[in-house]
Amino acid sequence: MEHVSADDARAELHRLRSSIDNLDAALVHLLAERFKCTEQVGRLKAGAGMPPADPAREAVQIARLRSMAETSGLDPHFAEKVLNVIIAEVIRNHEQFAEERA
């Protein structure tokens, strides 16, 4: 690795951190939009008496995400862990909607 001055390193850190902050904001906004959609799904399923979880759909989504992660150079195991956290929260929300309808 080439030698970089402390000032150059600080400037580059600032630039990189600014990009990270922008990406974090985009992730939060995307998650908010995703949960708006899954809320609609949960209310629809509750109204129709359908179960909160859909293991077949979840398996397809996990396989799809793992494939996209590999293509994008992201660790598929990590991507799956993230999706599992999201799915768990969606199911929890769907269970609440079902309880409200009961």
Side-chain angles (χ1 to χ4, degrees):
M1 173 132 206
E2 67 183 78
H3 179 71
V4 178
S5 74
D7 287 341
D8 287 346
R10 278 190 285 279
E12 183 65 3
L13 279 172
H14 177 73
R15 184 189 70 74
L16 291 168
R17 288 176 175 161
S18 179
S19 292
I20 291 167
D21 292 348
N22 289 337
L23 290 165
D24 287 345
L27 285 170
V28 167
H29 291 293
L30 287 170
L31 282 171
E33 286 302 310
R34 189 185 194 288
F35 275 94
K36 286 176 188 173
C37 290
T38 60
E39 180 178 341
Q40 292 176 8
V41 168
R43 292 189 186 284
L44 180 66
K45 287 166 74 172
M50 298 169 74
D54 185 345
R57 162 86 175 154
E58 294 158 22
V60 168
Q61 286 300 94
I62 289 169
R64 183 174 154 266
L65 186 80
R66 286 183 66 89
S67 176
M68 285 189 297
E70 285 181 12
T71 301
S72 299
L74 181 66
D75 178 0
H77 180 69
F78 171 74
E80 182 175 346
K81 287 192 321 189
V82 170
L83 186 60
N84 281 329
V85 168
I86 293 169
I87 289 171
E89 183 65 14
V90 168
I91 291 170
R92 189 185 69 74
N93 290 337
H94 289 192
E95 289 169 345
Q96 282 183 311
F97 300 141
E99 288 172 11
E100 290 170 7
R101 292 294 250 177

